[in-house]
Structures are given as C-alpha cells and as structure tokens.
Amino acid sequence: MPAEDGSRSRATLHEVAAQADVSVSTVSKVLNGRSGVSDETRARIEALLQDHRYQQRTAKRPAAPLIDVLCYEVDSPFGSEVVASIEQSARQRRIGMVLTGATEQSTPYEHWLDDVLRRQPVGVVLIACKLSADDRQRLRSRNIPLVMVDPAGTPAPDVPSIGSADWNGGYQATRHLIDLGHTRIGIITGPTDMMASTARLSGYRAALDSAGLSSEPELIRPGHFHHADGLEQGRALLQLPDRPTAIFASSDLYALGVYEAARSLGMTIPGDLSVVGYDDLRIAQWAGPPLTTVHVPLVAMAEQAVHLVMRLGDEPELAFSRIDIDTTLVVRASTAPIRAS
Amino acid sequence: MPAEDGSRSRATLHEVAAQADVSVSTVSKVLNGRSGVSDETRARIEALLQDHRYQQRTAKRPAAPLIDVLCYEVDSPFGSEVVASIEQSARQRRIGMVLTGATEQSTPYEHWLDDVLRRQPVGVVLIACKLSADDRQRLRSRNIPLVMVDPAGTPAPDVPSIGSADWNGGYQATRHLIDLGHTRIGIITGPTDMMASTARLSGYRAALDSAGLSSEPELIRPGHFHHADGLEQGRALLQLPDRPTAIFASSDLYALGVYEAARSLGMTIPGDLSVVGYDDLRIAQWAGPPLTTVHVPLVAMAEQAVHLVMRLGDEPELAFSRIDIDTTLVVRASTAPIRAS
C-alpha cells in the first residue's frame, strides 16, 4: 500500500520494522543506504519494503540539492556531450550533478545504488544505461524519481524516457542518399537490444522500400557504436564484389571508422563513397570532409530530462512519459550524387 | 591565527562573531554557504575570516562523501577524458564526483563557490581553470583542499598542481620532425597565459636550437586549443610563400584542424605535410591518417589529483606539491621523412 502522506508513510515504516523484527532506526538505515546492517537483515527489509510498496514521503528540498547521473562511456563523444548538456540544465537550477560511469554492460557498478541512496539526490538520470527492476524499486521506495535518456535494453513502461525520433532519422538519412541516386546503400547498425538502433534500421528499411529498393542482408552490418566497428564493417562493405556506393553509418563515430576504411582502400569521400552519420556531435564538423549527419537535439533532450526528473516528485503521473524529440538532416560535404560509371 | 584543533577553532568562531557583531550561527551560515545573511554582513564576516586566517577543523568523513570538480569545456575531447579519469579514481574510493562546467574565461560561474560550500565536499579539483585569491581563501577557511590539473593562468604557489612534462613533450615532438629531415616546422601554440602552452613552445624552440635551426616568427601561430584555430592557422601556414613541410599542432584538436586545412588545399598527410599533435586523446587514433602525437598520461594525472586532494586535509605541507608526469611520443601515420623536392 503506497503511502500517500507523511503519517501513513511513518505508519508503514513501523509496520516494516515490526514485521522484520528490527528497530525503526534499522529500517531507516537501510532506506538511507547507511552501513551497520547485516546483508541478511538488509535483504529481508528490502523485500518487505517492496511487498508493502513502501514509499518515503518527499523530503524538503535540501540545502545542497544533487542530481545523480549514470552514463555509459562518460568520455565518448556522445556521452560527454549529453553529460555537458545535463550539467548546464542542472547548473541553471543550482543543482549539483554527481556523475558516475557505468560498466561495459550499461549497468551500474556495485555499490552505486547504495551510494545514491546515501546522497539522497532529488532525482536520477540514466544515459544509455539500464537498471534492474529491484534497483528501480529501491529508488521508488525512497521516492527518488528516475528518468532515462536513450535507454539501453527494453525500457520499463513506468520509467519515463527521453529519446529522439530515431525511425525518422534513419529514414531521412537513407532518403537523402536515395535522392542522390544511390541504390546500393549499406548500413552499420547499433546494438540490437537498444530501441534507438532498431528504430534507425527500421527507418532505413522503410526508405529503401518506399523507393522500390530491396534491403539486402549483406549490406546490413552490426556494431556497438564504436569507431573500430565502423572501420571493420566499413572495410567489409567496401570489399564486397558489388560494393555499396553509400553507407549510412548510424553513429558519427562509425562514420569516422568508415572514413578510415575508405582512406586505407584508396577511396575518396564523397567522390567514391557517400557517408551519412548520426548524432551530429562536434566530431562530425571536425571530420575531413565535414560529415553529413542526422542532428540529434542533445541539448533539448538533456533539458527535458532534468525538467522531468524535477517534476516527477510532485506529478507521479508523468512516469509514463515517453518523449521523442525531432531529428533533422544536416547536409555537409560527405555526400554527393552517384558517379556515372 | 590558524586553528590547530577543535577548541581553538571554536574560540576563533566566537571572536569573529563578536567582532562582526553578529551571532555565532550567522558566522556558521556564512561558513556553510547558507542563505539568510545580507550581502553586507556576509562580506564583513568573510573579511574577518580572512584577517584571522580562520580555519575550520576537519569534519569527520561524511556518510556520502563528494569531490567537487570544476572543468573548462566539459565536453571537449580533453575535458571529457580527464573528467572520466577523475570519476574512475573517485568511484574506486566510493566518493561521488560533482561536475560543474566553467565559463569561457576558465573561471567558475556565479554561485559556484556558494554551492560548493553547501555541499561540503572532501576536496575540490580544477581542470584547466583558475580561481581568485578570495575564492581560494574561502575554501581554505572551510578546510576544503584544492588541487589544480593543468591550471589556467599562473598557479598560486600554495595550491598544488598536477601537469605533464610539457617542455619535454614539445621538445620530443619537434625533435621527431627534425629527425625526419624537416627544417621548416610550424607550431600552433595555446593561450599565452597558460603555463602548459608556454612550456610546449619553449620545448619547440629548444629542439630547433639544438639542431642549429632558427625559430621564425611567421611559423609560430597562436590559438585557444580549438579546432577552428587549427584550421585557420594551418591554412595560413600552408599558404606562406615558403610554407612549412611539418606542423607541430600543440593539441590533437589543432591537428584535426590542420588536417582539414591540408585537405582543402589538396595536400596529403604525410606525403605533403607531416603533423604532430599533443595529448593523445582518442580522436588522435580516429583521425585519417592516425595521428602521431605526444601522449599525456591523463589517467595517472587524474589519479594523482584525487589522491592528493584526499591527503591534503591531513598533510597540509603537500600544498606546495607541483607534480609533472612524463610524456612520450606516439608515432602513428601522420609523419614521414621530408620529400626530396
């Protein structure tokens, strides 16, 4: 039974303590991530909190409010630009941003959630990460709102998420190449368990389909959004007997890898190969030639994430929000009409 | 008179309150960055704290310890890699890292220091930033240690700093080009008020000198470590009547700008132009061709910074540390022997 107000919340705290056969202060220690409780007792209390759907009442706004951000690959071009945008949004509200990196599996390191509970942030934002149902429940029982930006895995329906219009972006990128006369268009896709990658691939397929072109399996290559994938898959695509004349690299980092693949094979961009990236990170402008790419409004996404996580405490119905912000194609110098052969 | 222990510290707190003609709790509010004190009173109390060289006794390690990081250009390739390394060092100690971006002048935004005082972090780390003497004193009076990584401006002698062997790095880069037979070597330097840039330029000059080559003013170009500077100055250098055959771009981002300048002028790297970068950020490996550059041990620098800031509370004599970590040249594909003309 969720607590609706302070008095009922306190009653439930007593109930949990009684049922766990511990003192109220022990339950309180578990709630606030403090030490001095055995693992066994902690687990018993967590289970009871979950059974009771216990929900701590919202604390007063603390003197030094914090927001906790968990980010996959903090120092990747994508991660660092999203983090910088969230930092800016938080700073404008005079909220400190605690930043933590995630594991290679996009999950938190051990102790992360305990440390978050001790910090008692006003909210938690995940960037390209996922969180177990147990961990989500632990946040919920402490009344700490959670928002996901570009979630990894399948996002839970009751966790609000912010993304961009990935299907649309994939469609725009591919359509642009078709309009330039390309018919053999390769794609390097992202992790299959990530909604954003699946949607981009689906947009690619739909654009081919709408032009009466078929999507050939040999032109569809997997990756994990790393430069090395772009290099390896780019090379594989360009060495096909009937090679593509254009590649939709579904991340800017892939695109740089494809650039290097082309360079190492003696091909020029856009003369021999057109390339479209995705995200429009600053590396897209620094590439030689500057990269045509799908602009993802990271600043707007970050602002929405911070805005949402701050409001969730008062408006829990927002938990079912799923916000996708529009993408636009930015044409630079890496795409050109197909050469007459 | 600095407080040596708890009792004297408390005595001084009373003295300050008495002299300022306010209550002890008002002084305490100012110390902890709390609101409810007029600007005029706050200024009077700060001045007295400074006159008395007041120093708060070290608090017990808090349940949720934080470290505050102020960083210039959080989302630049350099900033994001240093931040990620500091995050990792802090995480291993179960300390949360609060990250804040700085102004374009490498200074904190308004309110930053107030917010830091409220958060009561175990330490503050600055990355490529500077802090006024007043702000440093405010940290000191609250017993919050400060460490600078690659400081902007002239670092104060009593603030420990971590850097890399910039002079040595500049020498190595230039020597490598000389060894390849280049005699006309351009350089794009960093901001003149940054020790690191001055040291790199000085290393460049020393290497030329040791080879009996003169350093010509027209080959020395200024910048602010941005891609646009590399592009603009690279273009200017390559359009000189007697153009350089090699450029020491004293940051990797400059090097990418120089790549684009060469490409736009129809020159190839390293065939027509050799380029050496600085920092060895991941963008150096992603460049086409992969960039020869000076490796700066950012992970080791970050680890030292966190280690130092954690020890300063107990060992104040470390405040005079100035640690420079060794650099190494990483030869990739952007440098080659000068062409016979």
Side-chain angles (χ1 to χ4, degrees):
Chain A
M1 177 169 51
E4 299 293 335
D5 58 51
S7 60
R8 282 177 73 185
S9 155
R10 275 192 295 279
T12 309
L13 189 68
H14 279 97
E15 280 166 36
V16 169
Q19 286 190 31
D21 201 15
V22 298
S23 69
V24 168
S25 91
T26 300
V27 179
S28 178
K29 275 183 186 167
V30 171
L31 277 172
N32 298 315
R34 302 267 170 160
S35 53
V37 183
S38 74
D39 286 350
E40 187 271 321
T41 306
R42 190 179 292 273
R44 201 167 70 236
I45 293 171
E46 284 287 356
L48 283 165
L49 289 170
Q50 186 152 358
D51 288 351
H52 284 265
R53 303 190 132 277
Y54 176 83
Q55 202 159 10
Q56 214 165 9
R57 64 198 163 132
T58 310
K60 274 202 314 186
R61 191 183 163 98
L66 297 172
I67 194 167
D68 248 284
V69 173
L70 180 73
C71 179
Y72 177 65
E73 294 187 342
V74 171
D75 54 353
S76 69
F78 178 83
S80 63
E81 290 197 25
V82 181
V83 162
S85 299
I86 290 187
E87 188 278 315
Q88 195 177 330
S89 294
R91 182 183 352 113
Q92 284 160 358
R93 294 170 169 85
R94 293 191 68 179
I95 296 172
M97 180 189 73
V98 180
L99 174 64
T100 312
T103 68
E104 286 188 17
Q105 287 72 44
S106 303
T107 54
Y109 283 95
E110 207 193 338
H111 300 309
W112 175 76
L113 195 62
D114 291 332
D115 293 345
V116 168
L117 299 185
R118 285 186 198 172
R119 287 193 282 268
Q120 306 191 349
V122 294
V124 171
V125 174
L126 262 57
I127 303 168
C129 283
K130 55 190 169 191
L131 205 55
S132 69
D134 270 8
D135 283 353
R136 294 200 306 272
Q137 175 55 33
R138 287 180 74 193
L139 285 176
R140 196 176 297 122
S141 62
R142 276 74 172 182
N143 224 347
I144 298 173
L146 169 67
V147 168
M148 291 185 165
V149 175
D150 268 354
T154 309
D158 59 346
V159 177
S161 66
I162 316 278
S164 60
D166 291 285
W167 184 89
N168 196 41
Y171 189 95
Q172 288 170 310
T174 313
R175 186 73 232 175
H176 169 64
L177 293 168
I178 294 169
D179 289 345
L180 291 169
H182 297 277
T183 55
R184 281 191 69 75
I185 301 170
I187 181 174
I188 308 173
T189 68
T192 45
D193 72 335
M194 203 164 170
M195 294 270 285
S197 348
T198 317
R200 287 174 208 174
L201 173 60
S202 179
Y204 159 87
R205 285 201 163 111
L208 289 178
D209 207 45
S210 75
L213 298 167
S214 59
S215 69
E216 295 180 33
E218 67 171 7
L219 296 182
I220 300 173
R221 302 283 170 155
H224 283 84
F225 289 142
H226 293 137
H227 180 269
D229 300 321
L231 177 56
E232 184 189 338
Q233 302 295 352
R235 212 169 256 167
L237 283 167
L238 294 176
Q239 289 178 322
L240 286 174
D242 188 10
R243 75 163 179 92
T245 59
I247 294 177
F248 169 35
S250 72
S251 86
D252 290 345
L253 216 42
Y254 280 167
L256 293 195
V258 171
Y259 272 46
E260 181 59 11
R263 202 191 61 85
S264 70
L265 294 168
M267 297 179 192
T268 62
I269 294 167
D272 302 313
L273 178 74
S274 283
V275 180
V276 181
Y278 204 101
D279 286 332
D280 195 20
L281 304 173
R282 287 191 295 170
I283 51 169
Q285 300 169 46
W286 300 335
L291 180 67
T292 295
T293 189
V294 177
H295 177 78
V296 175
L298 296 183
V299 173
M301 284 165 68
E303 174 56 30
Q304 283 282 352
V306 174
H307 181 71
L308 195 54
V309 87
M310 298 300 297
R311 282 173 64 199
L312 273 168
D314 299 327
E315 301 167 65
E317 70 280 7
L318 291 173
F320 295 89
S321 308
R322 159 96 210 159
I323 299 170
D324 279 334
I325 302 180
D326 239 2
T327 54
T328 44
L329 185 76
V330 180
V331 178
R332 297 202 180 94
S334 65
T335 47
I338 189 169
R339 270 192 187 164
S341 56
Chain B
M1 177 171 49
E4 297 293 337
D5 58 52
S7 60
R8 283 176 72 185
S9 154
R10 276 192 296 276
T12 309
L13 190 67
H14 282 280
E15 282 167 34
V16 170
Q19 288 191 30
D21 202 15
V22 297
S23 69
V24 169
S25 90
T26 300
V27 179
S28 178
K29 275 184 187 167
V30 171
L31 276 172
N32 298 314
R34 303 266 169 159
S35 53
V37 183
S38 75
D39 286 350
E40 187 271 321
T41 306
R42 190 179 292 273
R44 200 167 73 236
I45 293 172
E46 284 286 355
L48 283 165
L49 289 170
Q50 186 151 0
D51 287 350
H52 284 265
R53 303 189 132 276
Y54 176 83
Q55 200 158 11
Q56 213 164 8
R57 64 195 163 133
T58 308
K60 273 203 316 187
R61 191 183 164 98
L66 297 172
I67 195 167
D68 250 284
V69 173
L70 180 74
C71 179
Y72 177 65
E73 293 187 342
V74 171
D75 55 352
S76 69
F78 179 82
S80 63
E81 291 197 25
V82 181
V83 162
S85 299
I86 290 187
E87 188 278 315
Q88 195 178 331
S89 294
R91 182 185 350 115
Q92 284 160 359
R93 294 169 169 84
R94 294 192 66 178
I95 297 171
M97 179 190 74
V98 180
L99 175 64
T100 312
T103 68
E104 286 189 18
Q105 288 72 44
S106 303
T107 54
Y109 284 96
E110 206 192 340
H111 300 308
W112 174 76
L113 195 63
D114 290 331
D115 294 344
V116 168
L117 298 185
R118 284 185 198 174
R119 287 193 282 268
Q120 307 192 347
V122 294
V124 171
V125 175
L126 262 58
I127 303 169
C129 283
K130 54 190 168 190
L131 204 56
S132 70
D134 270 6
D135 283 352
R136 293 200 306 272
Q137 175 54 33
R138 285 180 74 194
L139 285 177
R140 195 175 298 121
S141 63
R142 276 74 172 182
N143 223 347
I144 298 174
L146 169 67
V147 168
M148 291 185 163
V149 175
D150 268 354
T154 308
D158 59 346
V159 177
S161 66
I162 317 277
S164 60
D166 291 285
W167 183 88
N168 196 41
Y171 189 95
Q172 288 170 310
T174 313
R175 186 73 232 177
H176 170 64
L177 293 168
I178 294 169
D179 289 344
L180 290 169
H182 296 279
T183 54
R184 281 191 70 74
I185 301 170
I187 181 173
I188 309 173
T189 68
T192 44
D193 72 337
M194 202 165 170
M195 293 269 284
S197 349
T198 316
R200 288 175 207 173
L201 173 61
S202 178
Y204 158 88
R205 285 199 162 112
L208 289 178
D209 207 45
S210 74
L213 299 167
S214 60
S215 68
E216 295 180 35
E218 66 172 4
L219 296 183
I220 300 173
R221 302 284 169 153
H224 283 85
F225 289 142
H226 293 137
H227 180 269
D229 301 320
L231 176 57
E232 184 189 339
Q233 302 294 354
R235 213 170 256 166
L237 283 166
L238 293 176
Q239 290 178 321
L240 286 174
D242 187 9
R243 76 163 177 92
T245 60
I247 294 177
F248 170 34
S250 72
S251 85
D252 290 344
L253 215 42
Y254 279 167
L256 293 195
V258 171
Y259 272 46
E260 181 59 11
R263 203 191 60 87
S264 70
L265 294 168
M267 296 179 193
T268 62
I269 295 167
D272 300 314
L273 178 73
S274 283
V275 181
V276 181
Y278 203 101
D279 286 331
D280 195 20
L281 304 173
R282 287 190 296 169
I283 51 169
Q285 300 169 45
W286 300 335
L291 180 67
T292 295
T293 188
V294 177
H295 177 78
V296 176
L298 297 183
V299 173
M301 285 165 67
E303 174 57 30
Q304 283 282 350
V306 174
H307 181 72
L308 195 55
V309 88
M310 298 301 298
R311 283 173 64 198
L312 273 167
D314 298 326
E315 302 168 66
E317 70 279 7
L318 291 173
F320 295 89
S321 309
R322 159 96 209 155
I323 299 171
D324 279 334
I325 302 181
D326 239 3
T327 54
T328 44
L329 185 76
V330 179
V331 178
R332 297 202 181 93
S334 64
T335 47
I338 189 170
R339 269 192 189 163
S341 57

